[in-house]
Amino acid sequence: MRLALLIVLILLYALPATALVIDADTLWRGELSFSEDVRVMPGATLTVAPGATIRFVGAKLEVSGRLIAEGAEFSGENWEGLRLKGTDATTRISDCVIKGATTGIFVQGGAPLLERLTLSDNKIGIELRGKAAGTVSNCRFVANRKVGLFVKDDSTTAVVGCRFENNSRYGAYLYHALPRSFQDNVFSGNAIGLMIAYHGSDPEVKGNRFEKNEVAIQVDRAARPLIQGNLLLGNQTGLYIYRRSDPVISGNRIEKNGVGLLVAYSSYPQIEANDFLANAMALKLEFQSSAWETERGADARAGQTSAKSAFAGQGMRNVTEDDRRAKRIDGTVDAKGNWWGAEGTAELLKIGTSGNPSFIHDGKDQATFVDAGEEYPLDKIIHAPWSDVPLTELKP
Amino acid sequence: MQTDKEGHFTINLPAGRYSLVARKRADGGRSGVLAPGDLNAQFSGNPVTVRSGERMVLDDFSLAQVDAGVHAQRQAEGIFARTETLLHGQVVDSDSAPVSDVYVFAYLDSRMVGKPVHMSVPTGADGLFSLYLSDGGTYYIGARSAFGGPLEPGEWVGTFDGEADHKVIVARGASDDLGTLIVKEFW
């Protein structure tokens, strides 16, 4: 009897399933392989048992009903991943491994719960779009080829307690998304840990840790997030504020980075109440000039307006030059009220408020730069008054 | 414009003549070709003429599901239809590697905005495409991952660059090889 049962199971597992529509409650367990798409229809629940190993070859699992998976592995060859289409919070994927897919989990709307997952070696680990809500918590995004976690399209999904490690391009990318919480995440070894890009991308990024990334956080193309209470430690560049971006950078500990904070191309962040410690260069301006912005900024951005074809490289939704114009351009970047470390503070006391600190690179160090054959003055940083004491309680 | 929970909507428009449609895509998307199961309705009173300062209250839209059979037939007859005139080639990245899941589009307008007149089905793993045209003529050729909407980070996008303005002149009944069409990822 035992022998007979074993033979049946082996045959079942070895046979690849064909096209499958699941329209009644179904349980998957053991090893299964599919070479065509599997669709879970509205009203049906697919439960994947702990220990199950599910493999797709040139196919995907598409869920319009409900998926409950715990402790399973999803993998395959040339496979597209899991697609959750409008699934609610009763869809719950926890403690699973999803690897090798085009997009490990693609969430189109809905509010699924994604917990303690490992997303590895996918092109994109998880993509959230279509005003998705729900939660991504305590997940690991490891060595995904493009993006670990891509949050788009007015999605409000909470992202908490996740680790983003060694993703080739971006650990996480926030594009027109406002996660209702983005905190307690750890980014390490990524090309860019966290990218926040484009006008209308104004999330709050609080209480995260960024360590040993090439760039810890990049804010680009007129995004205006709040970056608060984060630890940025040992990155090549801590914060890269680029192309007319005006974030608020407050209460962060920025320590032992190559460049703590790099500001470029007409960006005017608000930099206050941060601790800058032992960075090779604490704060640096690059191609940053109010004169350039006044003279050329609008023209340089004109090619990106929504009237242009997508084929001309425009990627913004109904953004106008008024939306992107700098509110204050007087040749300075405001960095008053920060703590520059014990050594920095000692230097500041020595050189006075009008001195040129060695840990800041601005127009006092490099008077001009050249763009399109024209010379433009590099802006200056206002660093005084400064704080005499540390301002954060963050620890490495 | 999205309806509210009760299905109501308000659209502020400049005076003019409009054709109204209502659509709900099962995948939640905002653009692209309708698929079986999507909801679709043409407003029965089309076209609607709105005068300056006028507030119009319209009759209900009657949504109907896109039928799989009708959809397949329209696909075969529509912009994907096989014809005697076509452009073909391969979509590749800057390292000459084939790129999958990219549509190739033909426009009559050199600005390449709005709806294309023809489009290919998405490329497969080999990056090969066939773009069927209803007739010979002058077309402007582009390629991207998505159908419509603003360009988004992560999308592939490119143009036919055999001519500076991305133009191709094709004779009726011809099957012309465009060679490789290079796309880049937009971030």
Side-chain angles (χ1 to χ4, degrees):
Chain A
M1 182 62 189
R2 177 178 285 180
L3 179 62
L5 179 61
L6 182 63
I7 290 168
V8 169
L9 288 173
I10 289 169
L11 285 173
L12 279 174
Y13 293 163
L15 285 173
T18 56
L20 180 62
V21 171
I22 295 175
D23 54 10
D25 292 355
T26 301
L27 172 65
W28 284 359
R29 66 173 72 205
E31 295 180 17
L32 295 170
S33 177
F34 300 93
S35 55
E36 292 187 60
D37 292 353
V38 178
R39 294 195 178 90
V40 181
M41 304 306 286
T45 297
L46 171 63
T47 303
V48 184
T53 304
I54 314 298
R55 185 173 171 77
F56 293 88
V57 178
K60 61 180 177 288
L61 172 60
E62 187 175 289
V63 181
S64 301
R66 177 187 299 158
L67 173 63
I68 299 171
E70 183 179 354
E73 179 178 305
F74 297 86
S75 65
E77 287 174 34
N78 186 31
W79 77 294
E80 293 179 46
L82 314 184
R83 297 179 77 88
L84 309 181
K85 299 169 76 170
T87 57
D88 63 19
T90 61
T91 281
R92 181 172 179 158
I93 309 175
S94 54
D95 300 293
C96 292
V97 173
I98 297 116
K99 60 185 181 184
T102 306
T103 301
I105 303 178
F106 181 92
V107 178
Q108 176 70 50
L113 300 180
L114 309 175
E115 303 169 318
R116 299 181 301 280
L117 306 177
T118 298
L119 291 303
S120 66
D121 302 302
N122 305 286
K123 181 179 171 191
I124 296 172
I126 296 177
E127 179 169 332
L128 304 156
R129 60 177 308 142
K131 298 183 179 177
T135 301
V136 176
S137 62
N138 301 302
C139 294
R140 283 185 73 217
F141 298 84
V142 185
N144 295 288
R145 295 193 300 282
K146 300 291 182 184
V147 186
L149 174 66
F150 215 151
V151 191
K152 295 180 175 179
D153 206 10
D154 301 321
S155 293
T156 58
T157 308
V159 181
V160 292
C162 295
R163 300 183 70 89
F164 299 86
E165 300 164 353
N166 304 315
N167 295 285
S168 301
R169 191 180 279 262
Y170 304 104
Y173 194 127
L174 306 183
Y175 168 71
H176 287 292
L178 291 170
R180 65 181 189 280
S181 174
F182 194 97
Q183 64 182 31
D184 299 329
N185 302 292
V186 177
F187 296 76
S188 61
N190 304 285
I192 295 177
L194 173 62
M195 177 72 154
I196 306 166
Y198 293 91
H199 181 264
S201 300
D202 308 330
E204 295 186 357
V205 175
K206 295 182 176 179
N208 303 281
R209 180 184 180 98
F210 298 84
E211 190 167 7
K212 296 179 181 171
N213 302 279
E214 289 176 31
V215 175
I217 304 175
Q218 181 166 329
V219 183
D220 198 354
R221 295 183 188 248
R224 292 166 187 160
L226 169 64
I227 298 171
Q228 191 171 60
N230 301 283
L231 172 64
L232 300 99
L233 180 67
N235 305 281
Q236 288 180 29
T237 300
L239 285 145
Y240 187 16
I241 312 304
Y242 189 38
R243 291 189 284 197
R244 274 298 306 117
S245 293
D246 302 340
V248 175
I249 301 166
S250 171
N252 303 283
R253 180 175 174 121
I254 303 169
E255 181 171 359
K256 294 179 181 169
N257 303 284
V259 177
L261 173 51
L262 177 59
V263 179
Y265 281 105
S266 306
S267 296
Y268 292 94
Q270 188 179 328
I271 308 163
E272 61 185 10
N274 301 283
D275 291 341
F276 289 86
L277 296 162
N279 300 284
M281 179 62 68
L283 180 47
K284 180 177 179 179
L285 303 186
E286 190 174 72
F287 301 107
Q288 168 79 17
S289 171
S290 291
W292 183 93
E293 171 60 22
T294 303
E295 193 176 312
R296 300 199 50 210
D299 287 345
R301 289 187 291 271
Q304 300 169 347
T305 60
S306 54
K308 298 282 183 178
S309 158
F311 302 106
Q314 92 65 26
M316 301 193 186
R317 289 192 232 165
N318 300 322
V319 58
T320 67
E321 180 51 29
D322 274 349
D323 293 327
R324 291 183 288 182
R325 185 171 291 120
K327 301 269 186 300
R328 179 189 61 80
I329 44 173
D330 61 1
T332 65
V333 173
D334 188 348
K336 295 192 286 282
N338 295 283
W339 190 56
W340 303 95
E343 284 185 27
T345 305
E347 181 181 335
L348 289 171
L349 288 171
K350 193 172 173 183
I351 63 176
T353 55
S354 58
N356 181 17
S358 62
F359 49 84
I360 290 177
H361 179 93
D362 64 359
K364 291 178 183 171
D365 305 282
Q366 175 191 340
T368 62
F369 64 90
V370 176
D371 184 65
E374 295 287 322
E375 214 167 356
Y376 295 94
L378 192 63
D379 287 349
K380 295 183 176 66
I381 289 169
I382 300 175
H383 62 274
W386 57 83
S387 173
D388 295 326
V389 293
L391 297 162
T392 78
E393 296 180 353
L394 298 168
K395 300 292 178 198
Chain B
M1 171 60 60
Q2 276 195 327
T3 55
D4 64 19
K5 286 178 182 172
E6 282 76 43
H8 297 127
F9 67 91
T10 302
I11 311 177
N12 294 312
L13 294 168
R17 193 162 174 262
Y18 297 91
S19 187
L20 301 178
V21 296
R23 289 173 174 167
K24 182 173 183 178
R25 290 176 171 80
D27 67 2
R30 283 190 295 252
S31 58
V33 180
L34 289 171
D38 290 350
L39 298 174
N40 186 36
Q42 296 271 347
F43 180 56
S44 58
N46 278 340
V48 175
T49 301
V50 184
R51 284 174 284 276
S52 182
E54 183 179 21
R55 181 182 174 86
M56 300 180 72
V57 179
L58 303 177
D59 293 336
D60 292 349
F61 283 70
S62 297
L63 291 164
Q65 272 201 342
V66 175
D67 178 79
V70 173
H71 176 260
Q73 188 181 347
R74 290 206 174 142
Q75 290 285 91
E77 294 170 351
I79 54 178
F80 295 112
R82 293 187 171 224
T83 63
E84 296 299 311
T85 308
L86 76 147
L87 301 168
H88 55 91
Q90 186 183 32
V91 176
V92 299
D93 65 15
S94 52
D95 295 325
S96 300
V99 179
S100 61
D101 297 319
V102 171
Y103 298 94
V104 179
F105 302 94
Y107 292 83
L108 294 174
D109 183 338
S110 63
R111 293 172 301 167
M112 299 169 71
V113 293
K115 267 190 168 179
V117 287
H118 300 286
M119 63 185 284
S120 72
V121 297
T123 54
D126 56 11
L128 296 175
F129 70 88
S130 294
L131 177 58
Y132 295 97
L133 307 170
S134 56
D135 200 356
T138 299
Y139 296 95
Y140 300 86
I141 307 299
R144 60 181 288 203
S145 315
F147 177 81
L151 200 55
E152 288 192 356
E155 257 197 69
W156 291 98
V157 64
T159 50
F160 169 67
D161 292 332
E163 298 282 341
D165 57 0
H166 322 302
K167 180 173 65 185
V168 172
I169 300 172
V170 57
R172 179 183 294 179
S175 172
D176 290 349
D177 184 0
L178 292 184
T180 54
L181 201 158
I182 299 172
V183 290
K184 292 179 181 172
E185 267 183 313
F186 176 81
W187 292 104

